[in-house]
Amino acid sequence: MNRSQYQTFLDIHPRVAEAFRQGEPVVALESTIISHGMPYPRNIEMARAVEDLVRQGGAVPATIGIVGGRLKAGLTEEEIELLASTPGVVKVSRRDLPVVVARSMHGATTVASTMIVADLAGIGVFVTGGIGGVHRGAEQTMDISADLQELARTSVAVVCAGAKSILDIGLTLEYLETRGVPVLGYGTDDFPAFYTRSSGFGVDYRLDSPREVAQVLRTKRDLGLSGGVVLANPVPAEYEMDPVAIDRAIEQALEEAREGGISGKETTPFLLSRVKDLTGGASLNTNIQLVYNNARVGAAVASALSREA
Ligand code: PSU
Ligand code: MN
C-alpha cells in the first residue's frame, strides 16, 4: 500500500490543511496523554492550553486521535472533549490501529501512533510530555514500549521532557542507541527524567536554539536517514519536583502495580495515576507545566524549519 492509499483513512482539519497550503509551521500533539495520562477535567484544560501555546508560538496545532475509525490530523474542540471525557476510549498504539479503524471506534493515540498519523499527514514536529520506554524489570517482563520502535522507523521529531523513572532510563537510552535514534538535549547535556531536570544519564548531543535543531533535522532528512529524533527538553526549574519525593512515590507505585498484577498497556496509566495521588497532585502540575514548556520549544522548532525550508 502506498502513502496515498493510507491517506483515504485520514482527515486533515481545515486549519491544518490551510497551514500546509500557506507553508505555515504545524505541530502535532498526542491524545493518550489526554485520555489516559491525566484526569478529567484537568486533561481538557491542558489540551486546550497546549494548543493555544503552539498558536502563540506562531505554529498551527494538530491534536491527533481517532474518531469513529477516522484518523484525525487535527481534532476539533468537540472531538478533544469526546476523547477526554468518554470512559473506555481505547489507548491506541501501532498494533491497535487496524482494529480500531476497521471497527470505526474512537481511539486516543500514543507517541507511536501519533508519529504514524503525523507522518502520514506530513507533520514533522510532535510535542508530548514523555516517551514510553523500557520498563524496569523488562529482563523478565519484556515490557518495552512500542514508542521506541516507532522512533526507529518513522521520521518525526518528538519534543519531550525525557523519560520517567517509572522506566529503566539507562536501558531506554541503550535501546535508542541500538536503533539509531539521535537523543538531543535542548539546552542541556543531561537526559531529563520528566519530573526532574536530570536523570544522571547524558544526551548524545546538546543543541541550544530552534535554529540548530532545525539544521540537524533538515540534514538528517537530506542524508536520507529515516526515523525519529528525541528532543529532550527539561522541565523548567521552578516546576521541578524533589527527586527524593518523586522517587519514593514511583517506588511505591511500582510495588502496587506488581502486587495488583498490572501489566501490558495498563501499566503506564496506572503508574501515572498512582504517582499523582501519592504526591498529592504535585506530579500532575509538573506534568502539565512540562508539556507547556515542550509546546513552546516545538512551535519554535517548527517555525525555524518552515522559515528555512
Ligand atoms: N508518559 C506520560 N504520559 C502519558 C504517556 C506517557 O507522562 O500519557 C503515554 C504516551 O501516550 C506514551 C504511552 O506513548 O503512554 C506509552 O505507553 P506504553 O508504555 O504502554 O507504551
Ligand atoms: Mn508496554
Side-chain angles (χ1 to χ4, degrees), residues 30-34 36-38 91 93 109-114 126 128-133 135 143-147 164 166-167 194-195 264-269 272 287 290:
E30 68 153 303
S31 45
T32 290
I33 190 177
I34 304 172
H36 292 72
M38 293 181 191
K91 173 182 165 186
S93 196
T109 50
T110 62
V111 168
S113 53
T114 301
F126 161 31
T128 186
I131 54 169
H135 280 262
D143 191 350
I144 300 174
S145 176
D147 293 352
K164 278 165 297 297
I166 62 171
L167 302 168
F194 197 79
Y195 300 116
K265 70 198 285 189
E266 318 299 336
T267 302
T268 299
L272 287 172
N287 194 341
L290 64 82

Side-chain angles (χ1 to χ4, degrees), residues 26 98 175 236 254 273 299:
V26 178
Y175 192 102
L254 284 165
S273 152

